[in-house]
Amino acid sequence: MGKIHIDLFTTLDLVAQAPGGPDEDPEGGFPFGGWQAPLFDDLVGAEVGAAIAGLDALLLGRKTHDIFAGYWPQAEDGVDGSIAHVFNKVPKYVASRTAPALDWAGSRLLSPDLVAAVNEVRDRHQSIHVIGSLDLVQTLLHEKLFDRLNLWVYPIVLGTGKKVFQGGEVPTNLRLAEPPLAGSSGAVLLRYELADGVPQTGDMGARDGD
């Protein structure tokens, strides 16, 4: 069974809306579209490129799919050519409550039973990546339908915007899968994997005298 990776760029206050550009997702009047651009560095670029080179399917929300479909098919001859080649080649599975036109080659609509549909995607592929797609991410977190949560955390606070955790998540244990990486801009890559059970509680005071 393949692994589902959730890949997100986020601020210290866990805002993950529109990191790439001003027009990426202005929903709610979000004023900070493109907040990642001034902080992008060589380490981020190298790690993102390596992750994308190894994927064999994309799992996307409809809005992110539409944004990608409007850019990546024309990008293979530009500076993002290697990423575009992968994105254009692999199957794209799209979660949507409606029946949108999916004109990007290799795109297909998931069935309304998202849990069953995602598990079918897992059976077909080895490395499935969810990029952006915050509404879909909320469902995946709630249903624990992921294996890795890869967070690039940037040293800024925005105070507004869509967040990684929007209130629908459930108690979940994760473990650090690899040592953190830090770029020159201060961005830190934290790679967590889903762990068994739910968070436990204790009494720190009981440790006195240990």
Side-chain angles (χ1 to χ4, degrees):
M1 180 174 286
K3 290 186 176 182
I4 294 179
H5 299 249
I6 297 175
D7 303 325
L8 294 172
F9 301 107
T10 178
T11 65
L12 280 175
D13 53 339
L14 295 181
V15 173
Q17 184 173 353
D23 300 322
E24 182 179 329
D25 179 10
E27 186 176 338
F30 184 62
F32 295 109
W35 56 262
Q36 181 196 16
L39 299 169
F40 199 84
D41 59 36
D42 289 342
L43 177 68
V44 177
E47 290 295 323
V48 169
I52 288 172
L55 66 85
D56 63 346
L58 286 168
L59 178 59
L60 304 171
R62 183 199 54 79
K63 183 178 292 185
T64 297
H65 170 273
D66 292 350
I67 293 170
F68 281 14
Y71 178 76
W72 293 112
Q74 294 81 39
E76 289 206 36
D77 294 330
V79 295
D80 295 325
S82 60
I83 296 174
H85 178 73
V86 174
F87 282 178
N88 292 328
K89 177 182 67 174
V90 302
K92 277 77 69 174
Y93 298 92
V94 184
S96 176
R97 296 183 180 89
T98 62
L102 302 178
D103 297 328
W104 190 12
S107 298
R108 61 198 73 177
L109 188 65
L110 292 173
S111 71
D113 186 347
L114 189 63
V115 174
V118 169
N119 283 325
E120 288 176 6
V121 172
R122 271 177 160 163
D123 288 338
R124 295 189 194 116
H125 302 282
Q126 292 301 308
S127 182
I128 307 110
H129 284 246
V130 183
I131 301 173
S133 306
L134 286 175
D135 290 340
L136 172 60
V137 165
Q138 303 311 309
T139 301
L140 298 178
L141 292 173
H142 183 271
E143 299 293 338
K144 299 186 181 181
L145 274 175
F146 69 98
D147 300 281
R148 285 282 190 106
L149 179 60
N150 305 312
L151 297 177
W152 278 102
V153 182
Y154 283 77
I156 56 173
V157 174
L158 298 181
T160 186
K162 300 176 187 177
K163 296 190 175 185
V164 177
F165 302 106
Q166 291 279 81
E169 58 280 352
V170 296
T172 304
N173 283 331
L174 297 101
R175 67 171 62 91
L176 194 64
E178 300 179 34
L181 293 175
S184 60
S185 68
V188 178
L189 174 58
L190 300 171
R191 290 180 280 214
Y192 294 102
E193 61 185 13
L194 186 63
D196 293 334
V198 296
Q200 302 298 300
T201 63
D203 184 352
M204 292 297 292
R207 299 173 58 89
D208 293 345
D210 286 354

